Structure formats: structure tokens, C-alpha cells
Amino acid sequence: MLHQKKGAVEIQFNWIFILIIGALILTFFFAIAQKQKQLSERRLGADISSELDLLFTGQGVSSNTISVMNIPNVPIRVSCDDYTIFNVPRRLGNTIIFSPQEITGKKMIGMTLPWTVPFKVTNFFYLTTPRIRYIIINAPDVVQEELTATLPLNRAVGEGMSVEFVNDTSLVSSILYQNNPHTRLIFFNTDPELPSDFESVKARGISAVVLQGGFTDFDDISEAHFYRKEGNAFVDDQGADGNAVYAIIGKASALGAMITSTAEGYECSMAKATHRLKNVAEIYRGRSDAIFTAIHRNECGFAVSALDAIISAESQGLSQVKTAIDAGQSSLESSNRNALRLSCPTLY
Amino acid sequence: MNHKAQIKMGETLGVLIVFFLIVGISIGFYTMIQKDSIKTRAREQLEKETIRIALKAAHLQEITCTQDRDIEEVNCIDWYKATSFKQVIESDQQAFLFYEADFRSSKITLQQVYPVDPALPLTLDLYSNPPKHVANRIQTAIPVVIRDPTIANALQQKSIGLLFVEVYS
């Protein structure tokens, strides 16, 4: 009887022992598997980031390029300072990127345009996907023609940008939602209107911008008013400085306001661009002084006051930079033309 | 019977100890291989970083020759732009920090090769930001044309040079 009781205790103890050790072993391997999963995700993220980094650098050094890239189907979150894949952030450095907040899908479209004021400052890089839908409303003919020539529209299905032109503003309310991850409405000189079919769409699924200006050509766009969806209407989308309206400086900047999905993204990228403009202007200022000293020719004067105005405007904001550029552009251009005519070194 | 149970328990513990020993050795071995692979990957990353920085430096708008407002001359560096660039980043901390975002821990030097203009310095350190402790370094040189815009004769304006890019980790 005593032996039987002892045996029963022994069997029960063995089972408890097996359960504890089994649980321990399972936990151990589960922890290793989890760690390994995290590690391989980080590694994949780092690999993709590294490849994208080289791609951005390679593309960024050439102007007027368009490329459609095959990418792994993982979401890429893009901000003005960095981009993140699997929570692995990668700094963008001074690359100026205009992009929607998230890139999804297997194709990514990259474009570059030079930013000239009138000297070239840098290339602007535009990133988007064929899955993001751009609807351009009430655009003047000249703008439509330039957009058609600039953007990758007539490509194979799923490889070009998804752009639609709506010339009649009364048709805006009847635009249908087509399940795109993001829809960007671009209005020209008209108030924004949320199509009724988008009322149930999440706020991050749609945004709008109103471009205002004279529109004799693309360079005449003067400012962009950014909007985001709140409830069943568009409200001001404010950047980090609290503004929703920002100056547009040239075609490259206008395209940036169209492609980026937030005021914050536009403001941040343009802040980087104007900082670079200040550096380039300072370099040209120093160079013109050094050249003037070296050649001793009084007729070879440069429009340095225009450069000085741009340098001092940088700290006062985008609108002031635009004013300085608008005021100095013609004198900079004529100074360069005169230099060429008189066989002097050019300013830029 | 009690003695038999103790032997059984000892056997079970023995098996567990051997099991965990094998697992431990395997993890140690795996970690050792991983360490080597991490070193290789770090070297690969540094090589990619060097290519990236060299590309950026060779096409830096601030120093490259331009014919018109946006027509760049490929692999051509304007000596006066380069000198002014050096002065700006040496005198303006904000400007240095701006370019640090692109060039990180590296050194970029422009060197005259042929013909050497004796009126100009042989080398120009455009950017220098070495770390306190250098673990690894890779250097690459890009052949470039150096243009002196103050020389009136267009044929004599250009000389051959090298743009050295040294990247540290």
C-alpha cells in the first residue's frame, strides 16, 4: 500500500518535472525564434535602406531623370529627414525629397528636377508610386502641357504615375474613390472640395493642395495652400511653423507641393533647400570676390548685392527668400550674360 | 526502490545537462560565425558609404564647373568654387554641420596633378571630419578636370587633378 502511494507520487512528480522542463525548452526556443525574426527584419530593412541610399545618391546627382524601380513589397515611411523600413531609420542627409508619407507596393517612381534661382542650387528628388492617385483640377492648359511633358504618365500599366485631369470644377463632387492608399487633389486657383465618395475614407487616405498664381507658365505659381481631411471637409494642414500657405519658388518647388502629402513635409524640404541656397550663394559670393581680385578687370563686375539679399533672406523664411530671388533674378542673369559678352569669368 | 528512483532522476538531469551543453555550444559557435559576418557586413557598408560619399563629392553643385545655369561639366571642379566652399565650411559652423549630414566622417581633398599651377596650392582640403578613433578607413580617388576660370585662354583653363575621398568608421 505504502509502495503504491510512493509510486503514484513519483509518477506525478515526473510529469510535473517534464512539464516544467518542456515549458522551459519551448520558451527558450520561442525566444530565440523571436529574436531571429527581429534580427532578419532589421537586416532586410538595413539591406533595402542601403540599396535605396545608393539609388537616391545615383539618381540625385543627375537632373531631369525618371526611373521606375522594383522594390520589395514592404512599406517605406518617408519624412523629410529620413526614411524607415521595418523600424530601421536611414538618414537622408541633404537629399531633398518630396514624397507621400508612405510608399507601398512593388514599384517606386523616382524623378529629379534641378532647382535653379537662376543658378542651379541642387536637384529635387520626387518619390511616389503608381498606387497613389493624383487628380489635377482646373489646371490651365500651359500647366497641363508642362505636367504631361514632365511626369511619367504614358507608361506601361502600373509603371507610370496615376494622374487624372479634371477641367470642370463641377465634376469634383462626383469623383469616385478607387481604393488607392492615398489620393492627392491638386486644385488650381479654386477652393478645395471633398468629393462625397471620399467622406468615409480615412483622413490619411486623401489630402489636397491649392496652387495659386498667374499661370502664364509653370514658374508663375506663387503659393501653395495645404489641406487635410477632417470629418467631411478639408481643413488647413499646418506645417511645423503653424502656417498652411507656403511660397512656391519655381517649377521644381511647385511639383514638390503637388507630390508631397503634407504641409510639414513641404516646409521641411524647402527649409533644407533654402539652407543649401544660402550656402551656394555664400560660395558664389566668395568666389566672385576672389576672381575679381585675381583678374583686376573693372568691367568684370558681378551682381553680388543680389547674392547678399538671398543670403540674408534665408533666416527670415521661405516668402522672404522668394522675394529676394524674384528681385535679384534678372540682375543675376544679366550679370552672367555681360560676363560672357566681355569674356569675363561668369558668376555661376 | 528509493535508490532506483534517485538513479532515474540522475539520468534525467544528466540528459538535460548534456542537452543544454549542446545548445550552449551551438549558440557559442553560431555567435562566433555571426561576429565574422557582422565584420564583413560592416566592411561592405563602409565600401558602399565610400561610393556614396565619392559620388556626392564629385557631383557637388557647390564646386562643379557649370557652363550655363544648370549644365554641369562632368567630373570638372572649379578651383575658385572649391576654395570658396572650403572657406565657407571653415568659417560657418552651420554650413559645416549641413555638409556633415552628407559627408559624415570623411576627408575630401582636391589635388593638382598636371600641369601644376605653382600659383595655387598643390592640394586643397575641402572637408575634413575624422573620428577620434579610426577603426577602419577606405580611400578612393576620382580623376577630375580642374578649371581655373581666371585664365582667359579656354585651353589653358583646365588641368588634370584627383579628388581623394577617405571615409572612416
Side-chain angles (χ1 to χ4, degrees):
Chain A
M1 186 68 184
L2 190 71
H3 273 206
Q4 251 181 347
K5 204 174 177 185
K6 233 177 159 184
V9 168
E10 196 183 306
I11 288 164
Q12 271 180 354
F13 177 77
N14 275 348
W15 275 112
I16 291 166
F17 184 71
I18 286 164
L19 273 175
I20 291 169
I21 295 299
L24 212 70
I25 292 170
L26 268 176
T27 314
F28 176 74
F29 281 107
F30 187 72
I32 285 184
Q34 280 293 104
K35 201 86 191 152
Q36 210 45 35
K37 186 177 169 264
Q38 281 174 4
L39 205 73
S40 50
E41 272 186 359
R42 284 184 74 87
R43 190 176 289 173
L44 180 65
D47 282 347
I48 301 169
S49 304
S50 171
E51 294 304 318
L52 282 179
D53 215 16
L54 275 180
L55 201 76
F56 291 158
T57 308
Q59 290 277 314
V61 297
S62 323
S63 306
N64 300 307
T65 61
I66 294 174
S67 56
V68 181
M69 296 156 266
N70 293 317
I71 54 165
N73 194 7
V74 289
I76 305 170
R77 286 192 65 78
V78 187
S79 78
C80 136
D81 291 319
D82 52 29
Y83 60 94
T84 310
I85 303 167
F86 285 131
N87 295 324
V88 180
R90 186 96 175 173
R91 276 162 56 194
L92 280 167
N94 295 325
T95 306
I96 296 157
I97 287 193
F98 294 96
S99 161
Q101 284 177 303
E102 193 167 89
I103 300 278
T104 51
K106 291 181 176 176
K107 298 271 180 198
M108 184 166 76
I109 301 168
M111 293 182 287
T112 57
L113 276 186
W115 190 45
T116 50
V117 293
F119 50 86
K120 183 182 167 186
V121 180
T122 184
N123 285 325
F124 281 178
F125 199 99
Y126 310 93
L127 217 57
T128 185
T129 78
R131 298 183 68 206
I132 293 175
R133 188 177 170 205
Y134 294 89
I135 304 171
I136 299 169
I137 300 142
N138 199 30
D141 290 346
V142 66
V143 172
Q144 282 194 36
E145 280 165 25
E146 269 207 64
L147 281 173
T148 311
T150 309
L151 302 174
L153 305 182
N154 302 317
R155 302 262 173 148
V157 177
E159 296 224 332
M161 264 180 85
S162 167
V163 177
E164 294 157 45
F165 292 99
V166 176
N167 294 324
D168 185 352
T169 48
S170 65
L171 298 175
V172 174
S173 56
S174 56
I175 294 171
L176 297 174
Y177 177 57
Q178 291 177 359
N179 265 328
N180 299 81
H182 190 85
T183 305
R184 180 91 168 140
L185 302 183
I186 301 153
F187 295 88
F188 281 80
N189 275 354
T190 182
D191 287 334
E193 182 189 346
L194 182 72
S196 51
D197 205 31
F198 284 81
E199 282 175 4
S200 56
V201 172
K202 282 180 187 170
R204 60 185 300 178
I206 186 165
S207 62
V209 65
V210 176
L211 299 173
Q212 279 155 345
F215 302 125
T216 48
D217 70 27
F218 216 129
D219 283 332
D220 285 341
I221 298 173
S222 58
E223 60 182 30
H225 194 153
F226 292 84
Y227 293 91
R228 62 183 169 81
K229 184 183 175 243
E230 195 177 274
N232 289 340
F234 280 125
V235 295
D236 280 0
D237 177 20
Q238 293 168 333
D241 61 358
N243 285 328
V245 182
Y246 291 96
I248 297 285
I249 307 173
K251 178 181 169 180
S253 151
L255 204 60
M258 291 164 77
I259 288 190
T260 194
S261 55
T262 60
E264 196 180 351
Y266 178 77
E267 182 220 355
C268 177
S269 292
M270 284 310 289
K272 270 163 93 174
T274 52
H275 195 159
R276 184 148 206 166
L277 167 65
K278 180 193 166 217
N279 291 340
V280 175
E282 277 182 348
I283 289 162
Y284 284 168
R285 180 72 169 89
R287 177 182 177 269
S288 63
D289 287 347
I291 287 177
F292 195 70
T293 312
I295 58 174
H296 301 295
R297 285 174 62 193
N298 286 333
E299 70 271 26
C300 297
F302 298 120
V304 288
S305 58
L307 291 178
D308 289 339
I310 290 171
I311 294 165
S312 57
E314 191 265 340
S315 58
Q316 295 161 30
L318 195 57
S319 301
Q320 291 303 312
V321 173
K322 182 179 169 61
T323 308
I325 289 169
D326 289 347
Q329 190 149 11
S330 61
S331 68
L332 285 165
E333 279 172 339
S334 67
S335 168
N336 232 37
R337 273 197 305 273
N338 281 341
L340 281 169
R341 192 170 52 82
L342 298 165
S343 298
C344 297
T346 51
L347 175 62
Y348 53 89
Chain B
M1 192 65 193
N2 199 14
H3 188 66
K4 214 175 162 186
Q6 273 179 348
I7 290 169
K8 222 175 169 183
M9 186 66 118
E11 271 175 3
T12 315
L13 278 173
V15 166
L16 279 172
I17 287 165
V18 169
F19 172 77
F20 280 111
L21 209 71
I22 291 168
V23 168
I25 290 168
S26 308
I27 289 174
F29 188 68
Y30 179 73
T31 312
M32 218 165 67
I33 293 170
Q34 282 297 99
K35 265 187 188 168
D36 276 351
S37 138
I38 286 167
K39 271 186 194 167
T40 313
R41 287 176 70 83
R43 182 78 189 173
E44 278 172 13
Q45 285 299 322
L46 190 64
E47 281 168 7
K48 281 183 182 170
E49 183 79 343
T50 309
I51 297 167
R52 192 189 63 78
I53 292 177
L55 252 174
K56 286 226 169 189
H59 291 87
L60 190 67
Q61 187 59 38
E62 285 81 339
I63 60 169
T64 50
C65 312
T66 39
Q67 283 179 333
D68 199 353
R69 47 196 270 175
D70 59 353
I71 302 168
E72 283 168 43
E73 288 183 47
V74 180
N75 285 353
C76 174
I77 290 174
D78 183 311
W79 183 271
Y80 278 83
K81 278 190 189 177
T83 311
S84 187
F85 173 78
K86 176 186 162 73
Q87 282 167 355
V88 166
I89 64 167
E90 278 177 358
S91 62
D92 183 350
Q93 180 68 12
Q94 287 292 317
F96 175 80
L97 292 174
F98 184 83
Y99 293 102
E100 193 199 18
D102 270 342
F103 299 136
R104 300 179 195 172
S105 288
S106 68
K107 187 179 177 184
I108 301 165
T109 310
L110 181 63
Q111 187 185 310
Q112 294 191 71
V113 176
Y114 181 83
V116 174
D117 184 346
L120 304 174
L122 184 69
T123 60
L124 198 64
D125 285 341
L126 298 177
Y127 172 88
S128 182
N129 186 27
K132 279 182 184 165
H133 305 287
V134 178
N136 226 330
R137 71 174 78 196
I138 294 180
Q139 194 189 52
T140 184
I142 304 163
V144 290
V145 169
I146 299 174
R147 193 172 81 184
D148 179 352
T150 59
I151 298 171
N153 186 331
L155 288 173
Q156 290 168 0
Q157 272 188 352
K158 291 175 179 176
S159 61
I160 296 166
L162 283 171
L163 187 70
F164 289 102
V165 178
E166 190 169 32
V167 180
Y168 311 100
S169 69

